[in-house]
Amino acid sequence: MRHQCTGPATMVPAHTVARPVSMDRRHNTGDQRSMANIIDNIRSCIVRIVAPGDTLRFSGLVRVRELPRDCDLTDFMEWWPRLAANERDRYTVYEHKNVLTSAGRAQLLTYIGSSTATTLGFAQFFAVGTFPINAVSPGDTSVQTEIFRAVPGSQTITGTQIDISTYFGPSQANGTYTNAGLYGINATSTIGSGTLMTHTLYAYTKPNGTPITNDYLISLQ
């Protein structure tokens, strides 16, 4: 019998979308479908709150959640989406605010003005880097000394906030991070590819043997 990650179970909200994300290229079609869901949900979040005369405010927060050591990707995808926000917070060990880059701002405006389903993705990959930096700015174009990236595996919308979760396995991306960000617009698994949408300082050391989820919380007000 397969061991499952331990933790409280709650009902999955109807607006929560989650599915396992394989690292194998054979599942690219499934990954693209997941990205399409994330794109549609971000667009829906924007449309619900933007009206004539309104001012759109963006705020972002990235949280590292350390998971049970025996929690693999399949277990994570079955368990994590069932947790409420306060239950997820129990696993938080680090958080930091981020900035929306100039390219990210342009992409959000493109979403708002788009009437088609062909707008390129905003959150195609989450990446971490190790170069020693002490600040980020809207003009940034890359995660500095990027060492690893992964496709976000799930997203949950609560009101006008979306939580984009990206799982790192026990032996993946071990080391000391300094910065992180979301890549979109034709980003691939190749380090440095795509366009940097958001950027944050990320002072966290991931130990070997510990799986984590990088939860990117984006709020529009």
Side-chain angles (χ1 to χ4, degrees), residues 26-162:
R26 292 173 296 179
H27 298 278
N28 282 344
T29 300
D31 290 345
Q32 292 169 358
R33 193 175 301 119
S34 178
M35 287 303 96
N37 289 336
I38 293 176
I39 292 168
D40 290 342
N41 278 304
I42 292 176
R43 182 185 288 115
S44 297
C45 188
I46 296 171
V47 170
R48 282 203 301 269
I49 62 173
V50 177
D54 282 350
T55 298
L56 180 64
R57 296 180 56 202
F58 171 97
S59 62
L61 186 68
V62 190
R63 289 177 176 157
V64 177
R65 271 82 180 254
E66 291 186 348
L67 307 172
R69 293 176 69 88
D70 57 353
C71 188
D72 64 18
L73 178 59
T74 300
D75 292 338
F76 170 75
M77 296 304 299
E78 293 174 353
W79 167 63
W80 193 251
R82 299 200 298 265
L83 301 187
N86 62 329
E87 294 172 317
R88 295 183 181 192
D89 286 344
R90 291 165 39 195
Y91 298 91
T92 300
V93 295
Y94 175 81
E95 67 177 42
H96 202 282
K97 294 181 179 179
N98 85 137
V99 299
L100 181 65
T101 66
S102 298
R105 298 176 191 186
Q107 192 69 352
L108 286 181
L109 293 174
T110 300
Y111 282 154
I112 295 171
S114 175
S115 61
T116 71
T118 58
T119 304
L120 296 175
F122 183 93
Q124 295 175 321
F125 281 84
F126 175 80
V128 293
T130 60
F131 188 82
I133 62 174
N134 55 26
V136 296
S137 71
D140 293 345
T141 59
S142 65
V143 169
Q144 297 296 299
T145 312
E146 183 184 338
I147 62 167
F148 187 78
R149 60 172 52 192
V151 176
S154 71
Q155 88 281 5
T156 304
I157 290 181
T158 305
T160 58
Q161 176 180 275
I162 186 168

